[in-house]
Amino acid sequence: MADPSHRTQRRAGISYQARLTNLVEPDEQRAAAETRIVWSVPRPAVADARVGWHRLNPKRLRIEFTDGSWLAFTVPIAEPGTPLREIAAALTGR
């Protein structure tokens, strides 16, 4: 049996990327330097993730945790919901 202390633990996280106000698009190195993790949780703490309706917006990602807490994110109605569905699939394996 493998020793669990030698496994890499996967985490679910939320990052923040500062918007730049200059007129020139930043290169990848600068964008990466301005991105920071603002919250994370061990992946096994995620119980479920799904995209569904919230009021009149069908693009709400709800992430539920094993302790009963949850987070929800929506995107503007005009934006595609594909990124949210991809996140939910990655978190749940569905």
Side-chain angles (χ1 to χ4, degrees):
M1 187 164 149
D3 179 2
S5 65
H6 289 87
R7 290 187 301 207
T8 301
Q9 186 176 42
R10 297 174 66 190
R11 298 184 70 81
I14 297 174
S15 63
Y16 168 79
Q17 184 173 2
R19 289 186 181 255
L20 301 175
T21 58
N22 60 3
L23 299 176
V24 179
E25 288 294 321
D27 62 11
E28 290 182 26
Q29 290 178 354
R30 183 168 176 190
E34 295 190 22
T35 300
R36 54 192 168 118
I37 301 293
V38 294
W39 177 87
S40 71
V41 65
R43 175 58 192 86
V46 177
D48 193 25
R50 64 186 177 280
V51 176
W53 283 83
H54 176 66
R55 299 188 181 172
L56 296 176
N57 187 341
K59 299 172 213 148
R60 177 186 188 209
L61 170 63
R62 181 178 166 121
I63 303 170
E64 297 176 356
F65 301 97
T66 55
D67 68 357
S69 62
W70 55 272
L71 291 171
F73 305 91
T74 59
V75 295
I77 197 80
E79 296 293 323
T82 304
L84 295 181
R85 288 188 290 278
E86 290 172 351
I87 292 167
L91 290 172
T92 62
R94 297 183 273 198

